[in-house]
């Protein structure tokens, strides 16, 4: 019997044959793919011919083809539709994949070939893209410890393997805690909740096999509950469960894991000769150093905290007027902020949502991509990897560009949050390969599904990442699509969110799901006027997480991360009624892998650029200005990591941005 993961995928667009793949296929497929990659890489290292770019770098670029294919399918499923079998395999694979990656990037024969190429790089006649790829390979090998010898070398491999195990456990504990908690809502508990929250609670009850509606820790359910429930007692229970994720004691408690992860990262950076993990981690990023990151965050912290403190005063007065004395607590903020929003902007999320059906917003999202980049979307017949997943072929001028999959609804088997991944990346090496790109979200299912404003932003955000993959036009997979500096990668996604706020986009697409009537102009104006609403809160909860992340990785690793977290918040003067957006025990960005460790600041770094980049369109007077859109594609969306990010940005905009457009965008500039 042939393993469908290992055969050539000959169906339409060479999509993975989802229907034929069973869980039992993955383990043997990984084994064979790993063996094959190992053999190919050993051959490259042992090649008797003198090293050339083609026989070393280009060969390495293609050496893991089958492994990439199997991984692309598996890791997407593990995140978006996990099963106990998939979770077990993920745990089993984590140390094996880490060991394999170490074997490659610490391989002395490969490193020697790369060093030889580097030494002669000026005489190799490399294209600019090849020169960049060579430089990045050398950097990757150096940073992985290829230059280490003896005991240090051995220790480095050990550290990496252990980190892989710990970060997988961190994610799985979090998922277990999110799944493990639900709170039955009696009829009286539903009072004051808008229909969409009640419907979501009922759907959650059905999914959990409960008798009636339940509250769960899904962000799209619990956040609206905290926003709308007039029941302070229930809000307190809900908030306590929400912030306790990963810190409930017992087998799923993440606090000890966080401490061990930080200690190992610190050791790893020092083995490589860096002062701290943050110094190591930031070296290849745009920011470059911890000091630059801190400088940006603190420049924003001061006006954000001033705004949040002023808002806390207003909300506290509203609460006292309700007859509740004492301090505004974290479980009160969203509720009174929502009430204030209704009073000041007369904006009721429940009135808004019927105009923001998922169908309407998908239409808007595709239309914007059509107007900016000439893209066309044709719905494909599934089935894909889950019945809820939808697919489109993306073309331009009749030419195939990509397959785009949208997996939008929350379910118990999906981890929380929203993300974009490429099941297959674009490349031209060895023949043109076009990408398969997936957007995964956690919207509440409904008939039809109606989005909140934040959900609609998330939809656009993830699609911005998808465009970065789908418009990619490079030769080498190493720098394809979103393979760019971490503090640059959120630029396309956050930039795309701006088009959701363009009045004519809303006028055309935000239509009532029952009547088809456009959103009343007055509602639209109020919505846009409210877009900077509560940004003091949003900025403070985000910055607190970013500054704790930085403190964790700057200097020696803390023995007790929770104590460090408490100290950082105290030093900042964290407002009492705001909690971190992600506290340590559930800070998946930082602990479920290395991606955003000492990198959570990246969203704001990118936001400085996205605000400035959108201003480039606004300055022309046309949010769809064709020349600016062309430059955006030419220098940013198609180029991947083929040049350093600051060069790409400068090529697009002529100069690097200041923070002003970002502060203005958040409505914080008045507070300076
Ligand atoms: Zn993003």
């Amino acid at each position: 019997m042939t393993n469908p993961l290992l055969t050539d995928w000959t169906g339409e667009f060479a999509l993975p044959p989802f229907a034929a793949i069973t869980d039992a296929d993955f383990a043997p497929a990984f084994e064979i793919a790993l063996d094959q990659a190992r053999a190919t890489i050993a051959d490259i290292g042992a090649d008797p011919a003198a090293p050339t770019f083609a026989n070393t770098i280009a060969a390495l670029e293609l050496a893991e083809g089958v492994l990439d294919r199997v991984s692309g399918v598996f890791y997407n499923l593990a995140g978006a539709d996990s099963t106990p079998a998939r979770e077990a395999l993920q745990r089993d694979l984590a140390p094996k994949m880490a060991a394999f990656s170490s074997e490659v990037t610490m391989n002395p024969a490969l490193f020697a070939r790369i060093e030889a190429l580097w030494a002669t790089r000026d005489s190799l006649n490399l294209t600019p893209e090849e020169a960049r790829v060579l430089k990045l390979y050398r950097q990757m090998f150096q940073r992985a410890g290829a230059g280490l010898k003896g005991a240090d070398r051995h220790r480095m491999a050990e550290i990496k393997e252990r980190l892989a195990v710990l970060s997988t456990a961190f994610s799985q504990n979090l998922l277990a805690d999110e799944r493990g908690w639900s709170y039955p809502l009696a009829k009286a508990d539903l009072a004051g909740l808008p229909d969409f929250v009640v419907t979501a609670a009922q759907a959650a009850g059905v999914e959990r096999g409960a008798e009636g509606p339940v509250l769960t820790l899904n962000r799209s359910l619990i956040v609206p509950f905290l926003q709308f429930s007039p029941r302070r007692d229930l809000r307190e229970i809900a908030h306590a469960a929400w912030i306790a994720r990963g810190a409930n004691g017992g087998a799923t408690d993440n606090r000890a894991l966080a401490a061990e992860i930080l200690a190992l990262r610190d050791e790893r950076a020092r083995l490589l000769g860096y002062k701290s993990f943050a110094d190591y981690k930031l070296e290849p990023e745009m920011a470059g150093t911890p000091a630059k990151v801190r400088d940006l965050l603190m420049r924003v912290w001061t006006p954000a905290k001033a705004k949040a403190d002023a808002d806390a005063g207003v909300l506290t007065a509203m609460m006292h007027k309700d007859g509740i004395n004492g301090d505004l607590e974290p479980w009160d903020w969203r509720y009174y902020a929502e009430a204030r929003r209704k009073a000041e902007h007369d904006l009721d999320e429940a009135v808004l949502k019927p105009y923001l059906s998922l169908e309407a917003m998908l239409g808007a999202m595709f239309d914007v991509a059509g107007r900016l980049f000439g893209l066309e979307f044709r719905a494909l017949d599934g089935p894909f990897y889950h019945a809820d997943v939808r697919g489109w072929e993306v073309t331009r001028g009749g030419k195939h560009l990509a397959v785009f999959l949208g997996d939008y609804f929350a379910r118990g088997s999906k981890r929380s949050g929203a993300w974009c991944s490429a099941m297959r990346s674009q490349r031209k090496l060895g023949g043109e390969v076009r990408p398969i790109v997936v957007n995964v979200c956690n919207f509440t299912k409904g008939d039809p599904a109606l989005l909140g404003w934040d959900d609609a932003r998330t939809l656009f955000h993830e699609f911005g990442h998808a465009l970065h993959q789908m418009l990619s036009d490079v030769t080498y997979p190493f720098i394809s699509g979103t393979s760019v500096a971490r503090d640059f990668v959120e630029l396309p996604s956050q930039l795309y969110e701006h088009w959701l706020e363009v009045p004519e986009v809303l006028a055309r697409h935000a239509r009532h799901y029952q009547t088809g009537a456009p959103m009343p102009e007055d509602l639209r104006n109020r919505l846009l006027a409210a877009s900077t609403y509560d940004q003091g809160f949003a900025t403070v909860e985000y910055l607190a997480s970013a500054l704790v992340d930085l403190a964790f990785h700057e200097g020696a690793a803390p023995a007790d991360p929770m104590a460090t977290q408490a100290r950082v918040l105290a030093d900042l003067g964290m407002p009492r009624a705001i909690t971190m957006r992600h506290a340590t025990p559930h800070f998946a960005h930082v602990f479920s892998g290395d991606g955003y460790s000492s990198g959570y600041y990246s969203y704001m770094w990118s936001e400085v650029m996205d605000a400035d980049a959108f201003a480039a369109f606004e300055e022309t007077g046309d949010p769809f200005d064709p020349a600016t859109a062309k430059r955006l594609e030419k220098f940013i969306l198609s180029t991947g990591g083929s040049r350093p990010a600051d060069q790409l940005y400068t090529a697009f905009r002529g100069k690097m941005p200041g923070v002003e457009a970002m502060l203005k965008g958040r409505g914080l500039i008045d507070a300076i």
Side-chain angles (χ1 to χ4, degrees):
M1 206 176 64
T2 46
N3 189 320
L5 287 159
L6 299 173
T7 55
D8 275 339
W9 297 340
T10 52
E12 197 180 29
F13 313 121
L15 285 170
F18 295 112
I21 298 169
T22 66
D23 279 354
D25 294 321
F26 284 111
F30 268 107
E31 209 151 293
I32 291 167
L34 275 165
D35 284 350
Q36 203 175 314
R38 276 199 174 95
T40 311
I41 286 167
D43 286 348
I44 298 169
D47 191 341
T52 63
F53 187 87
N55 74 16
T56 304
I57 304 293
L60 282 171
E61 282 284 272
L62 296 174
E64 295 172 26
V66 178
L67 185 59
D68 285 344
R69 238 167 39 158
V70 178
S71 302
V73 177
F74 178 72
Y75 287 105
N76 183 70
L77 288 180
D81 195 25
S82 78
T83 61
R86 289 171 189 170
E87 277 170 42
L89 180 57
Q90 201 184 357
R91 277 193 299 274
D92 188 41
L93 281 171
K96 287 186 190 163
M97 297 294 279
F100 170 68
S101 153
S102 277
E103 257 172 66
V104 176
T105 52
M106 293 179 79
N107 181 313
L110 293 178
F111 189 50
R113 294 179 80 86
I114 291 168
E115 286 292 83
L117 290 173
W118 180 251
T120 55
R121 63 191 178 279
D122 292 335
S123 58
L124 297 175
N125 262 331
L126 300 179
T127 66
E129 188 182 328
E130 287 165 348
R132 170 85 176 153
V133 172
L134 172 59
K135 183 178 153 82
L136 292 174
Y137 260 84
R138 178 170 183 261
Q139 188 179 58
M140 173 174 77
F141 274 70
Q142 275 181 329
R143 289 168 58 80
L148 293 178
K149 309 249 179 305
D152 286 353
R153 187 178 171 82
H154 180 69
R155 179 66 187 145
M156 178 60 83
E158 261 177 14
I159 290 173
K160 283 194 234 169
E161 252 175 82
R162 180 70 185 149
L163 279 172
V165 172
L166 290 170
S167 60
T168 305
F170 190 97
S171 308
Q172 295 191 344
N173 287 344
L174 192 51
L175 189 57
D177 273 13
E178 285 172 358
R179 264 189 217 153
W181 190 89
S182 68
Y183 187 87
L185 295 169
K187 199 151 193 251
D189 302 339
L190 302 174
L193 297 178
D195 286 349
F196 78 87
V197 183
V198 175
T199 310
Q202 279 162 343
V206 170
E207 211 222 316
R208 299 282 175 108
E211 298 278 301
V214 299
L215 188 61
T216 66
L217 296 177
N218 186 308
R219 191 175 268 272
S220 338
L221 177 53
I222 197 153
V223 169
F225 185 86
L226 289 168
Q227 230 172 326
F228 292 108
S229 176
R231 287 279 300 279
R232 196 177 195 223
D233 58 333
L234 295 182
R235 292 201 311 263
E236 185 173 355
I237 292 169
H239 186 265
W242 175 240
I243 62 164
R245 288 168 299 144
N248 286 305
T252 59
D253 197 301
N254 272 334
R255 285 172 289 190
L257 299 190
E260 191 182 347
I261 288 171
L262 294 175
L264 290 171
R265 284 181 182 157
D266 185 25
E267 188 183 349
R268 174 182 184 172
R270 284 169 205 276
L271 275 174
L272 293 169
Y274 293 88
K275 245 184 15 222
S276 72
F277 184 78
D279 285 281
Y280 160 74
K281 193 66 200 300
L282 292 167
E283 181 190 54
E285 308 296 345
M286 284 182 88
T289 64
K292 275 206 176 158
V293 172
R294 182 173 301 283
D295 177 57
L296 169 70
L297 296 177
M298 291 313 292
R299 278 169 80 175
V300 186
W301 173 260
T302 308
K305 178 170 162 17
K307 183 83 169 60
D309 285 341
D311 289 342
V314 175
L315 302 183
T316 305
M318 289 172 69
M319 186 178 80
H320 290 172
K321 229 170 146 188
D322 266 1
I324 300 165
N325 292 319
D327 291 318
L328 187 77
E329 300 290 352
W331 48 94
D332 297 319
W333 189 293
R334 286 185 172 86
Y335 177 73
Y336 286 101
E338 179 61 26
R340 181 184 176 194
R341 180 161 73 150
K342 240 185 247 181
E344 287 182 7
H345 298 280
D346 189 21
L347 197 65
D348 180 345
E349 181 107 314
V351 173
L352 192 61
K353 288 186 87 147
Y355 295 98
L356 303 176
S357 68
L358 176 61
E359 288 315 302
M361 293 300 99
L362 285 172
M365 175 178 108
F366 290 151
D367 183 34
V368 168
R371 294 176 70 180
L372 288 169
F373 309 115
L375 302 186
E376 289 173 304
F377 299 84
R378 177 175 68 87
L380 296 174
D381 295 329
F384 303 101
Y385 61 86
H386 185 279
D388 283 348
V389 180
R390 298 160 68 177
W392 292 267
E393 187 197 5
V394 186
T395 58
R396 176 159 53 192
K399 190 172 170 253
H400 174 83
L401 279 185
V403 170
F404 174 68
L405 302 180
D407 179 357
Y408 290 118
F409 299 126
R411 54 178 173 262
S413 62
K414 196 187 268 188
R415 69 177 169 85
S416 55
W419 64 93
C420 172
S421 58
M423 216 177 268
R424 179 171 72 215
S425 296
Q426 181 272 334
R427 66 159 193 262
K428 286 188 273 198
L429 185 64
E432 170 108 49
V433 171
R434 295 308 310 176
I436 303 169
V437 184
V438 193
N439 274 182
V440 185
C441 298
N442 266 288
F443 303 144
T444 299
K445 214 171 178 168
D447 189 20
L450 303 179
L451 305 187
W453 185 240
D454 284 347
D455 293 336
R457 291 185 80 106
T458 301
L459 183 77
F460 270 61
H461 178 101
E462 298 309 332
F463 193 68
H465 285 307
L467 287 171
H468 203 183
Q469 301 275 16
M470 299 191 298
L471 292 172
S472 181
D473 187 25
V474 298
T475 301
Y476 294 93
F478 198 76
I479 48 149
S480 174
T482 53
S483 300
V484 297
R486 178 68 60 186
D487 47 11
F488 187 68
V489 77
E490 297 299 330
L491 167 61
S493 52
Q494 295 183 167
L495 176 58
Y496 206 67
E497 291 178 39
H498 287 270
W499 278 282
L500 177 61
E501 295 190 349
V502 169
E504 61 172 294
V505 171
L506 286 174
R508 189 186 295 190
H509 294 282
R511 289 175 178 274
H512 197 284
Y513 75 98
Q514 283 163 323
T515 63
M519 181 185 288
E521 200 181 330
D522 160 63
L523 177 60
R524 193 180 76 219
N525 290 340
R526 280 182 283 126
L527 172 67
L528 295 179
S531 70
T532 59
Y533 184 65
D534 218 18
Q535 282 301 306
F537 172 89
T539 311
V540 161
E541 67 158 9
Y542 165 81
L543 286 174
S545 289
L547 284 158
V548 166
D549 167 36
L550 187 64
F552 278 166
H553 298 100
E554 213 183 356
D560 180 355
M562 295 305 282
T564 302
Q565 173 182 303
R567 180 181 51 74
V568 171
L569 298 181
D571 289 351
L572 283 170
M574 182 75 172
R576 174 196 175 91
I578 304 180
T579 45
M580 297 166 72
R581 184 166 172 86
H582 307 284
T584 304
H586 48 261
F587 204 166
H589 287 82
V590 170
F591 295 109
S592 294
D594 237 359
Y596 283 87
S597 52
S598 67
Y600 193 59
Y601 77 91
S602 311
Y603 293 95
M604 185 148 280
W605 191 275
S606 292
E607 189 177 327
V608 168
M609 286 182 283
D610 77 64
D612 181 67
F614 192 67
F617 284 90
E618 289 179 319
E619 285 160 14
T620 68
D622 175 5
F624 296 95
D625 179 58
T628 312
K630 215 172 206 136
R631 280 208 314 278
L632 181 65
E633 180 175 347
K634 181 172 178 198
F635 295 115
I636 293 178
L637 294 176
S638 67
T639 39
S642 58
R643 289 164 66 186
D646 52 346
Q647 284 182 23
L648 292 175
Y649 192 82
T650 309
F652 164 67
R653 186 65 163 128
K655 60 176 170 37
M656 289 301 288
V659 295
E660 293 70 25
M662 186 272 286
L663 290 175
K664 205 171 123 205
R666 287 197 170 223
L668 298 174
I669 207 146
D670 296 339
I672 291 177

